Amino acid sequence: MADLSSLLETRYGSASAAPPAAHIATNPTLETLLQHKSVRSFLPDPLAPGTLEVLTAAAQSAATSSNLQTWSVVAVTQPSLKSKVAALCADQAFIHAAPLFLVFCADLARLTATCAQHGTAGEGLEFLEMYTMATIDTSLAAQNACVAAESLGLGTCYVGAARNRPRELAALLDLPPRVVALFGLAVGRPDPAAPVPDVRPRLGQGEVLRRETWGKGEAADLAAYDDALAEFNERQGRGDAPVWTYRSAHRIATVESLHGRDAFRRVLEERGFGLK
């Protein structure tokens, strides 16, 4: 098992950027979390029987606001359907290759049904708060599933492109009103013949950790992060990749850079989500 200091150094790209490990001992949970990486090369082999159910149980073990459990997941394994799903998610090759593609959905349909069952108006469902709650619940559940998969030696990759063509994806998966796909998660055994991805450095903690109030954080140093990520890209054979600040600024520069997701609010309204 790797020591915590080396895990932190790898996560932040250098010893100088890593926070001190103090006297905290590493453990399998910390090791799995700190070594997370996206995998985009999968073996086509089906997962072991029971894997999907274990991942779902892990997802259901995440915190959920008021125990309302405002999420659901569609598990896609059938190759022809998965190909159609992939085509709606930027047609990325790793979605085709992964034996399991999980489409995580914000789900207010179940609460709509419970209101009808008990004769209540369900007025709360008309407000942005409930959609926000559903996105949080969905994200927490998905991350639990992701960590569980990685603890089993599986690789994963999130797919935000599930929001590129949300109308078509909802129709393909036969999603009911008040259910919308938020993102996908490809799951499978990493292909040992493919290059092993390194752990991608993250922003220094001074950029994301604020103590007591917002103004009590350390001074941000985005230039240092640009350098750390440039070194990472060089090791990955992507030395010509733009620095993080440039790439991030251009990722949100225009409506076109959202790849169709600018319509997502309208899709939510069409699907019955109240956003008052």
Side-chain angles (χ1 to χ4, degrees):
M1 184 179 298
D3 68 273
L4 188 55
S5 293
S6 64
L7 291 171
L8 291 170
E9 180 178 337
T10 300
R11 175 48 71 196
Y12 290 98
S14 68
S16 60
H23 300 293
I24 300 173
T26 192
N27 58 57
T29 301
L30 283 174
E31 189 168 30
T32 298
L33 289 168
L34 292 173
Q35 290 184 318
H36 166 74
K37 62 192 75 171
S38 293
V39 172
R40 294 180 175 84
S41 297
F42 297 102
L43 295 175
D45 307 344
L47 301 182
T51 301
L52 172 60
E53 291 77 10
V54 168
L55 298 184
T56 303
Q60 289 188 279
S61 298
T64 169
S65 184
S66 300
N67 198 33
L68 291 178
Q69 304 176 70
T70 51
W71 66 277
S72 290
V73 62
V74 180
V76 181
T77 59
Q78 208 279 331
S80 61
L81 177 60
K82 187 150 55 67
S83 291
K84 294 176 181 177
V85 170
L88 298 176
C89 298
D91 210 22
Q92 299 174 83
F94 69 87
I95 303 175
H96 292 272
L100 173 63
F101 190 63
L102 299 173
V103 181
F104 280 91
C105 302
D107 180 359
L108 297 184
R110 188 161 40 244
L111 289 181
T112 301
T114 62
C115 288
Q117 177 185 353
H118 293 282
T120 64
E123 292 179 357
L125 293 171
E126 298 296 327
F127 288 82
L128 177 62
E129 160 61 15
M130 291 306 301
Y131 171 70
T132 302
M133 180 190 296
T135 61
I136 295 169
D137 272 9
T138 307
S139 300
L140 293 174
Q143 185 61 11
N144 260 28
C146 178
V147 173
E150 292 176 352
S151 77
L152 296 173
L154 302 173
T156 64
C157 188
Y158 280 105
V159 179
R163 298 189 301 279
N164 285 11
R165 297 168 66 181
R167 295 182 181 92
E168 295 96 323
L169 187 58
L172 179 63
L173 299 180
D174 196 25
L175 302 184
R178 285 185 169 167
V179 174
V180 69
L182 296 179
F183 48 82
L185 183 69
V187 183
R189 297 197 176 281
D191 184 351
V196 178
D198 289 338
V199 172
R200 188 193 301 267
R202 295 294 198 241
L203 287 164
Q205 287 195 0
E207 179 62 24
V208 301
L209 174 61
R210 309 286 167 169
R211 299 182 185 273
E212 315 307 340
T213 67
W214 188 269
K216 297 298 183 180
E218 299 176 13
D221 190 353
L222 295 182
Y225 184 62
D226 275 346
D227 292 341
L229 206 55
E231 292 177 10
F232 169 84
N233 285 327
E234 186 70 35
R235 293 196 304 271
Q236 296 292 298
R238 300 192 299 265
D240 58 347
V243 297
W244 182 83
T245 50
Y246 180 94
R247 178 184 179 276
S248 299
H250 284 75
R251 172 63 179 79
I252 55 175
T254 64
V255 171
E256 290 74 21
S257 67
L258 296 178
H259 303 291
R261 302 178 204 180
D262 54 293
F264 201 65
R265 181 189 179 101
R266 294 191 296 276
V267 172
L268 291 174
E269 292 170 340
E270 292 167 8
R271 299 204 55 74
F273 285 86
L275 303 174
K276 296 179 182 178

